[in-house]
Amino acid sequence: MLKLKTKIWVSALLKRVEISGSFATILKKGDVDAGVCLIKVCDLEGSCTIYKQIRNITGEVAWLPKGPLNECIIDEELEKRARQDPDLWIIEIIDKKRYHYLTEPIEK
């Protein structure tokens, strides 16, 4: 199975968010070919959910949510992860309904 380069995948996510009328930005740029992504999704009131990229039981990419939590708590976790993994990408989406715009499955 061919894996899409992270840089291309991130560009597509940013475009989906932009088309919807919400806002997204890259907080940390990691390895352009194979960096793992964390997606921070915030509403306009300081509440955020973080989505961690994982592989599900069948080996496909899926997302594991954590939250909603206060934005300060999420930011602390993101800073810790960024120090541990120089290849990590962190994308922030601001959407009043905290919609993630991810097309892969969301694990519960």
Side-chain angles (χ1 to χ4, degrees):
M1 175 199 287
L2 229 85
K3 185 179 183 295
L4 199 57
K5 291 185 179 203
T6 305
K7 179 181 177 181
I8 295 169
W9 183 89
V10 167
S11 294
L13 175 64
L14 296 176
K15 184 56 87 175
R16 282 195 302 274
V17 174
E18 178 186 336
I19 288 170
S20 76
S22 291
F23 175 79
T25 190
I26 300 170
L27 297 179
K28 181 183 180 307
K29 190 174 187 177
D31 183 81
V32 296
D33 293 327
V36 173
C37 294
L38 291 176
I39 312 298
K40 174 185 172 187
V41 182
C42 298
D43 59 21
L44 301 173
E45 298 172 12
S47 183
C48 299
T49 301
I50 187 170
Y51 292 85
K52 176 183 174 184
Q53 192 177 33
I54 62 168
R55 294 278 174 183
N56 64 17
I57 198 161
T58 62
E60 298 173 331
V61 172
W63 296 91
L64 186 63
K66 181 177 181 179
L69 297 168
N70 185 286
E71 187 170 10
C72 296
I73 295 168
I74 296 290
D75 286 344
E76 286 176 13
E77 183 170 332
L78 292 175
E79 287 174 23
K80 180 180 174 186
R81 291 287 309 271
R83 285 192 302 272
Q84 295 171 346
D85 185 358
D87 296 333
L88 179 71
W89 287 73
I90 301 175
I91 311 303
E92 180 174 8
I93 298 171
I94 300 174
D95 183 273
K96 63 183 174 183
K97 294 181 181 177
R98 272 196 331 272
Y99 185 67
H100 51 70
Y101 299 94
L102 300 168
T103 58
E104 298 86 3
I106 306 297
E107 299 292 321
K108 300 280 178 175

